Amino acid sequence: MGRLIIISNRLPFSLDREGDKVSLRQSSGGLVSAIKSYFENTGAQRGDLTGKMWIGVADFPQDDWRQVAAAHAAEQDFDILPIFPDKDVYDKYYNGFSNSVLWPLFHYFSSLAEYEGPYFDAYLQMNQLFAETIVPILEPGDQVWIHDYQLMILPHLLRQKKPDATIGFFLHIPFPSYEIFRLMPTEWKKTLLHGVMGADLIGFHTYDYVQHFLHSVKMLLGVDNYFHNLQYQDRLIRIDLFPIGIDYNKFHQMATDPEVEEIRTKIRAQFEDRKLIFSVDRLDYTKGLMQRLSGFEYFLERYPEWREKMVFVLNVVPSRDTIPAYNDRKKQIEEKIGTINGRFSTISWQPLIYRYNHLPFKDLVALYQAADAALITPLRDGMNLVAKEYVASSLGRGVLILSELAGAASELSEAILVNPTDTSDVANSITRALAMPLYEQRNRISLMQRRLQEYDVFKWVNDFMDQLQQVKQEQKKQKVKVLDERTLTSIRRHYQRSSNRCLLLDYDGTLVPFSRIPSEAAPDNSVRDLLTRLSADPKNHVIIISGRDLSSLDRWLGSLPVTLVAEHGASTRPRNGGWQQMVSVSDLWKDEIRRVMQAFVIRCAGSFIEEKTNTIAWHYRNTQTGLGFSRSRELLNTLSQLIQNTTLQVIDGNKVVEVRISGFDKGASALRILGDMDPDFVLCLGDDTTDEDMFKALEGEGYTIKVNNGASAAQYTILSQQQVLPLLNSLLVPINTNTPSETLS
Ligand code: GDG
């Protein structure tokens, strides 16, 4: 139970002043359309919400707001909290960092990005101002949903002050490939990623954006994902795709709106029998207006039979006109329009009708309905709601020509998909659309309409909010508790009561501390003595389960009556038997991997290769910290690509990158052993990434303990390796069994 708090750069409206009178004007834009629709219609849908609030920067004076605040509160069913920043800081944050760094870079216009230090400082400052405004009003149970690229650091800033808050983040623009993202100065890109990771759920429009983000997180923060879940600084975070929908019914129902019908009839009458092509976009270089015009020009040139039989209405909505990159383009576009009209117009016909204005909603829908084709060809677009709105408004006819580089293309596959930079592709698509038989138009439109109706904006918001709650539930379940005295006593009691015990122990970092050189990590007398005493009890079955090679384990522990599992399970030696190989494939694959790893040894002083029977590993424990880590990201990347479509697997371990044959992990090996012995007491200790497989596999089967702090699937954690031997020794000390025991589960 709590409020839904939407946080975006801008509020969903502006204020107009005429003399003494201040009036409210609804803003246009994707996010506003989506959330406003949800707010207006959602009353009963989510019974768990106690209120709705929108927080954002006001683009109007504080005095004007005072004049209308009370009226707004009475009319709307959501609260508003406006932020009034310093003008100069806001300018550097909005026009500077947001729209002259992030916007161009994330849309692959890297040459337009202006990496100015003061822009980034202002961005930090504004995110901080948002945090300072929000923190004091946050109440337990509130669900915070932060929107878009202007506020990427805010999730972390809120998390710092409110560690338990429920925070979602959604990026409305593309998340670019790592090769583009990495162009940004290192401190900036790390701060941005770290900032976003303050959220519990991070949403994107498409699968590609999700993958790009996960890749950057892996390369820059060293965090790997598991089915779109990440463990970051002790918290589970989910990254997923939520392709934004529109308020389908609002557009579809306009078919019978008398006012829209009147406008539509007028438009049709004006163009007589001529076909009508329509497009509407904000003035933005990402929208591909110049390329669209070139494609259209080529169409007129190449298909003269269409001249005088069609008209292209190009509506451009003013946007960000204080940024030079925008202003210059307006001039270019207008010149190009002039050239095309000058070149092809006749006394009674002009091919292009250009409007530079914001259309009233009903005019927009009437144009959608009247148009025989919509030409929507952005060079990059997070989603593009116009494409969806055109389809939803259709009265059963019309053709959507859509750029394959818009996020919407992955859902609207019945559109004619074009490459916006390919003028002949655009020209051909226009002819194809104009000549498309009515039955085919109907067919394509209805398939797309069904999809848009099913996943509309309400579904989108509900879906996001449901997942956000699910992540919170999972975080609660997953919280690793530090093993306390009471729990330890309880484990010891259980140990004493049981008669068929299984002790699964990792070696490096658990039984023995890490050593700079792997071959020098032999067990000392205290370890050997402990293992001897534990395994002397016939009720105990001790299993050392390691990523180590067979010969090291055999040399160090072979004389003890314990089961040895080497190389994550590829070789095992039962306590009373000889070594068995579980893998029977040739090891030719190692040659290729070794070659790659050798190149990294040369490029990273102090790193070395360790070769085992079934795995090959590159260690970087002894390298310069930053360098070793960044080389390890590159190696992971290279190896992941190299092993695609093979049965190999790359593991990002503790200061080691390892390649092994898949199917052998500690989890599967542990389960195999447990299956053979049906124990009544299971205790598992480990410290590394590869031990997580065991912890997950043993859920509900026994006690799992992670050595060292950090996110883990284990039930408990102990804070250092030095606590391992005392813990295991304590099992051998009898305790008073008369006191009732506590349960652990
Ligand atoms: C960002 C991402 C993503 C436009 N002109 C008029 C008008 N509009 C309305 C449209 C539509 C909205 O504005 C534009 O939405 P887009 O999706 O095309 O683009 P952005 O505003 O840049 O939004 C984008 C979106 O976020 C959502 O996640 O799809 O990729 O860049 O709703 O109808 N409305 C009226 N008159 C106009 O002249 N009434």
Side-chain angles (χ1 to χ4, degrees), residues 647-714:
T647 53
L648 300 174
Q649 190 184 4
V650 188
I651 303 153
D652 185 13
N654 189 334
K655 304 274 193 303
V656 57
V657 173
E658 191 159 9
V659 178
R660 68 183 183 198
I661 294 168
S662 51
F664 292 94
D665 64 57
K666 289 186 175 183
S669 308
L671 286 181
R672 237 188 333 264
I673 293 165
L674 252 56
D676 291 342
M677 61 177 285
D678 193 22
D680 56 359
F681 175 89
V682 176
L683 176 68
C684 171
L685 274 102
D687 72 299
D688 203 350
T689 333
T690 56
D691 297 316
E692 292 297 318
D693 292 328
M694 272 200 290
F695 300 147
K696 282 179 205 136
L698 295 179
E699 197 186 324
E701 302 279 341
Y703 305 102
T704 50
I705 301 175
K706 159 137 167 97
V707 180
N708 289 333
N709 221 342
S712 173

Side-chain angles (χ1 to χ4, degrees), residues 206-220:
T206 73
Y207 184 74
D208 284 350
Y209 308 159
V210 169
Q211 291 309 315
H212 293 160
F213 180 77
L214 290 174
H215 191 196
S216 286
V217 167
K218 183 169 175 170
M219 297 301 283
L220 293 165

